[in-house]
Amino acid sequence: MKVQLNRLNDAVHFEASGMENIKVQIDGSKEIGGQGLGVRPMELVLMALGSCSSLDLISILKKQRQEISDFSVEVDGQRRDEVPSIFTKIHILFRLKGKIDEAKCAKAAELAVKKYCSVHDMLVAGGVEITYSFEIS
């Protein structure tokens, strides 16, 4: 796996692309010259965790023939004050709508987060406490 980043201005605005050549805008904080032109790197970490676990959760629920009419995920990270300001705790909240059995969703969420999500495992190996919950409506 390989990604490419190219700086787009004289500050810290980058354009990143992966294997599918889809572009992602990344920028730093204002304190280091960022101009709000992209996602911050630590936000990308939360997005990676949320998307990795969500892809697996949706896949598992579909295999269980659960009907998902809407899906969103909120990932909330707490960082320590010292530099480097790494994540110490992260909570994932899955919000689902549809005809979904709560027990099946609970089991699927556990598998998606704790067994199949490689981003979760990397963060936990680094000492991050990760919790999750879900809401079905």
Side-chain angles (χ1 to χ4, degrees):
M1 182 179 294
K2 188 181 200 179
V3 299
Q4 171 101 17
L5 283 90
N6 296 306
R7 193 169 89 160
L8 298 181
N9 64 11
D10 289 337
V12 291
H13 177 207
F14 289 85
E15 183 174 81
S17 60
M19 297 184 305
E20 300 294 331
N21 205 31
I22 296 171
K23 309 295 184 196
V24 176
Q25 302 299 307
I26 303 168
D27 203 356
S29 67
K30 290 184 183 193
E31 293 79 24
I32 63 167
Q35 301 168 334
L37 299 173
V39 180
R40 306 250 307 262
M42 293 300 277
E43 291 173 322
L44 284 169
V45 172
L46 296 179
M47 290 177 187
L49 177 62
S51 60
C52 181
S53 55
S54 294
L55 296 173
D56 292 323
L57 178 54
I58 290 169
S59 177
I60 294 166
L61 289 173
K62 283 186 173 185
K63 287 178 185 173
Q64 295 176 338
R65 301 189 191 284
Q66 301 300 295
E67 295 178 29
I68 304 167
S69 61
D70 195 17
F71 183 97
S72 66
V73 62
E74 180 179 302
V75 186
D76 182 22
Q78 296 177 20
R79 297 169 71 179
R80 69 180 187 186
D81 292 333
E82 312 82 71
V83 175
S85 183
I86 62 172
F87 289 114
T88 56
K89 295 180 181 180
I90 299 174
H91 183 76
I92 308 166
L93 172 58
F94 301 105
R95 290 191 176 103
L96 302 97
K97 290 183 182 178
K99 295 180 183 176
I100 303 163
D101 180 89
E102 189 170 334
K104 288 183 178 184
C105 188
K107 183 62 177 170
E110 180 179 355
L111 289 170
V113 174
K114 294 185 175 181
K115 183 174 182 180
Y116 296 117
C117 180
S118 53
V119 177
H120 167 275
D121 288 357
M122 285 192 314
L123 291 168
V124 168
V128 181
E129 177 187 327
I130 299 177
T131 57
Y132 66 92
S133 59
F134 63 89
E135 298 172 353
I136 301 171
S137 60

